[in-house]
Amino acid sequence: MLVDTHFHLDLMENMQSLIKQFRGVDVGIIAVGTTPLAYSRELEFVSGINNIRVGLGFHPQLVEQREYEIDLFLQELKKTRYVGEVGLDFNKDNIRSKKQQLYFFRKIAQTCAKQGEKVISIHSVNATNEVINILEEEGTFKNCICILHWFTGTAIQRKRAVENDAYFSINQKMAKTKSGQQTIRNIPADKLLLETDAPFTGMISSVNNLQNELESIIQDISLIRRENMMQQIKCNSENIFD
């Protein structure tokens, strides 16, 4: 099965139509969230659809304005295996909430490590060192599957992440940039996953459209690595999608 490990289902205009199309097809998604208030509602929407997993998310760009949802997030965290989108974002528009972000992400990492066996999709814009430091210090790399979503860090940071057995989710935009291609070439084959980050990289009109997009990403990865990656990526995807 091909799996999109970072798909914003709740932000899609055609969400209800897409959910119905997933029934019985050989494509899956991890539907990452941005706020915990939306989590339980989305779980209800996808009930009975075996190839959709809903992630409990709290986007770092929203931590400052939605601080009141932190307790709810930590309560819901006990009930789910899939977590995301979470992380840190120190872009100029979000740097003023740096202290809150650091405190909350450490709390997430600490709790996930304690509970264990979480699958976590992690945002790390201009904050890769801090993300890796926290995941190392709290033991999250050891007890959970940590997926670095749309990784844009340096070669040294990538090496640190690889040494900690991190996974990397790859989208088509990464395959078009020099740094993205370097990441694709230099991470272990068994740590490669797929993502579209839809709708931020474009709208997905149907599940067939999504499957074509995922296959296109694999083609790009295969060209960059000079080997056919289809079976390996399917295997990687199924390992995190039980």
Side-chain angles (χ1 to χ4, degrees):
M1 177 187 289
L2 293 180
V3 177
D4 184 339
T5 63
H6 198 98
F7 185 94
H8 290 275
L9 180 65
D10 61 335
L11 301 182
M12 304 298 288
E13 294 176 359
N14 58 338
M15 179 180 74
Q16 297 285 10
S17 170
L18 275 175
I19 289 171
K20 292 176 183 176
Q21 293 175 47
F22 274 100
R23 194 180 295 276
V25 300
D26 197 33
V27 178
I29 60 169
I30 298 178
V32 293
T34 53
T35 71
L37 274 177
Y39 174 68
S40 58
R41 184 99 185 267
E42 193 168 357
L43 275 179
E44 292 176 10
F45 286 148
V46 306
S47 177
I49 310 294
N50 294 328
N51 47 349
I52 299 179
R53 305 287 186 270
V54 178
L56 172 65
F58 203 144
H59 200 287
Q61 294 175 359
L62 300 176
V63 165
E64 182 179 37
Q65 68 190 76
R66 291 179 174 267
E67 190 175 10
Y68 58 90
E69 292 186 49
I70 289 175
D71 288 342
L72 174 62
F73 180 95
L74 294 173
Q75 289 171 18
E76 297 284 12
L77 191 54
K78 301 172 186 176
K79 308 173 189 176
T80 183
R81 182 171 188 230
Y82 293 90
V83 181
E85 176 172 7
V86 296
L88 299 173
D89 190 316
F90 296 162
N91 207 345
K92 60 176 181 161
D93 295 330
N94 305 295
I95 195 67
R96 70 179 186 179
S97 64
K98 179 177 179 178
K99 186 175 180 181
Q100 287 169 296
Q101 289 186 51
L102 284 166
Y103 169 79
F104 186 41
F105 182 61
R106 184 175 292 278
K107 190 71 174 175
I108 293 172
Q110 186 181 74
T111 307
C112 286
K114 184 176 180 180
Q115 294 176 1
E117 298 188 4
K118 306 291 190 185
V119 176
I120 315 169
S121 187
I122 302 164
H123 180 109
S124 57
V125 172
N126 293 342
T128 307
N129 274 335
E130 290 85 351
V131 162
I132 294 173
N133 288 343
I134 289 172
L135 295 173
E136 283 181 341
E137 291 162 6
E138 299 302 335
T140 322
F141 279 125
K142 293 181 179 178
N143 290 347
C144 299
I145 292 174
C146 297
I147 306 171
L148 296 177
H149 142 66
W150 202 332
F151 181 82
T152 57
T154 66
I156 292 172
Q157 291 165 343
R158 181 179 66 237
K159 185 173 183 291
R160 282 185 67 199
V162 167
E163 289 170 349
N164 280 291
D165 289 329
Y167 283 76
F168 296 75
S169 53
I170 308 298
N171 60 49
Q172 279 198 315
K173 288 187 179 294
M174 291 176 70
K176 308 303 182 191
T177 68
K178 184 176 179 179
S179 64
Q181 291 168 8
Q182 288 294 328
T183 292
I184 291 166
R185 285 191 193 99
N186 289 287
I187 59 178
D190 64 350
K191 300 301 181 184
L192 276 164
L193 297 168
L194 306 177
E195 66 163 70
T196 61
D197 200 17
F200 296 105
T201 57
M203 293 301 293
I204 298 294
S205 58
S206 67
V207 172
N208 284 338
N209 180 204
L210 174 62
Q211 182 166 1
N212 290 338
E213 185 81 7
L214 296 176
E215 290 175 352
S216 179
I217 298 170
I218 292 177
Q219 289 175 4
D220 287 342
I221 292 171
S222 298
L223 284 171
I224 291 166
R225 292 179 66 100
R226 298 183 180 179
E227 59 180 320
N228 189 328
M229 295 298 298
M230 177 67 79
Q231 291 306 315
Q232 179 68 63
I233 290 176
K234 281 186 176 180
C235 180
N236 299 346
S237 301
E238 289 164 3
N239 283 342
I240 67 161
F241 202 73
D242 52 70

